[in-house]
Amino acid sequence: MDEATAEGAASPWRNYFLILLDRIPVPTAVCDAYGEVLIANPAMAAEWGAAPGQLRGRNLLGLFRPRSQAQVDRLIDALRLGRRSRYPVGVSWRAGANGGERQGELTVDPVGDPSEDLPVLLALLRVHEDTPPAPTPGREAASPVETRILALAAAGATTASIGGHLGLTVDGVNYHLTRLSRRWRVQGRTALVAKAYVLGVLAQGVWPPAAAEALSTESPEG
């Protein structure tokens, strides 16, 4: 099998993996051997009130604070020696821009051929049950990512187009729309957009649609 054929055969499986990753409710990220985030699912990004694409390029040690350096050293030694196992790291982090302190366990699993010097890291986050829940927008609010989705939807953008603008997959966009639907207790994109205007999430009387908060913080001209 030549290189082009192999790449074509791998592409569908990569797409299936991305779709599955978006649907997993467990906060999950795929990183390189140095901890730099390559892919994050919506559940992981939601811990920071961000879109998955906004975590790309960030480092796990910049997102989480390990509670034990010994656990981090054990993982580093394992990577250096080419070991493949699961390594738990107790971590804490601050959820969202104004969120509270949260604690949990990050399970890091080096994956790939044992002969490879630099494996890919699969990181799954388990939030401790006694940790206060991550702050989520109230029924009459929306996160920055949700607001951008609503503004694009109000302008008539398709789900795929919205994803392209925000660095989300189609399933990622639907994930946020579903969360909004449950929070606002409405069904369908049209109802969500209408509710956004009623609640003041989107600004009245402007085109293209924009977040009301963004307009209110703009400084006046002159």
Side-chain angles (χ1 to χ4, degrees), residues 61 66-76:
L61 292 180
R67 297 199 303 274
S68 169
Q69 184 59 41
Q71 290 181 324
V72 177
D73 292 341
R74 179 168 174 260
L75 172 59
I76 293 174

Side-chain angles (χ1 to χ4, degrees), residues 54 75 87 105:
Q54 292 175 302
L75 172 59
Y87 298 90
E105 184 177 83

Side-chain angles (χ1 to χ4, degrees), residues 8 40 43 53 107 176 215:
T107 301
H176 287 288
L215 292 180

Side-chain angles (χ1 to χ4, degrees), residues 13-208:
W13 289 106
R14 182 178 186 277
N15 292 337
Y16 297 151
F17 170 75
L18 293 177
I19 292 171
L20 178 62
L21 189 66
D22 274 348
R23 294 179 177 177
I24 293 175
V26 177
T28 306
V30 178
C31 311
D32 66 15
Y34 300 101
E36 182 176 312
V37 176
L38 304 174
I39 306 169
N41 71 347
M44 178 69 85
E47 287 294 327
W48 287 269
Q54 292 175 302
L55 296 189
R56 190 177 302 124
R58 299 280 299 275
N59 194 279
L60 284 181
L61 292 180
L63 295 169
F64 297 100
R65 297 186 302 279
R67 297 199 303 274
S68 169
Q69 184 59 41
Q71 290 181 324
V72 177
D73 292 341
R74 179 168 174 260
L75 172 59
I76 293 174
D77 288 342
L79 294 175
R80 180 174 54 83
L81 297 173
R83 294 173 181 165
R84 299 290 188 269
S85 185
R86 293 182 177 178
Y87 298 90
V89 179
V91 293
S92 60
W93 68 100
R94 186 168 295 278
N98 302 309
E101 188 78 6
R102 287 164 67 72
Q103 296 186 355
E105 184 177 83
L106 196 66
T107 301
V108 182
D109 192 352
V111 296
D113 193 316
S115 64
E116 295 177 356
D117 294 333
L118 299 175
V120 173
L121 306 180
L122 180 64
L124 287 81
L125 177 64
R126 181 174 64 85
V127 181
H128 287 170
E129 293 182 0
D130 56 350
T131 298
T136 56
R139 286 189 57 196
E140 299 188 0
S143 71
V145 174
E146 291 168 343
T147 302
R148 291 196 291 271
I149 290 174
L150 289 167
L152 289 167
T158 64
T159 304
S161 178
I162 293 172
H165 276 87
L166 302 181
L168 296 167
T169 64
V170 168
D171 281 313
V173 174
N174 288 332
Y175 171 86
H176 287 288
L177 291 174
T178 299
R179 291 184 68 187
L180 272 172
S181 294
R182 290 172 179 169
R183 187 186 315 138
W184 290 352
R185 298 181 182 178
V186 297
Q187 293 295 326
R189 184 174 303 190
T190 301
L192 279 172
V193 169
K195 187 88 171 185
Y197 279 110
V198 170
L199 298 177
V201 173
L202 296 180
Q204 299 279 351
V206 298
W207 191 267

Side-chain angles (χ1 to χ4, degrees), residues 2-9:
D2 59 30
E3 184 175 344
T5 303
E7 182 177 351

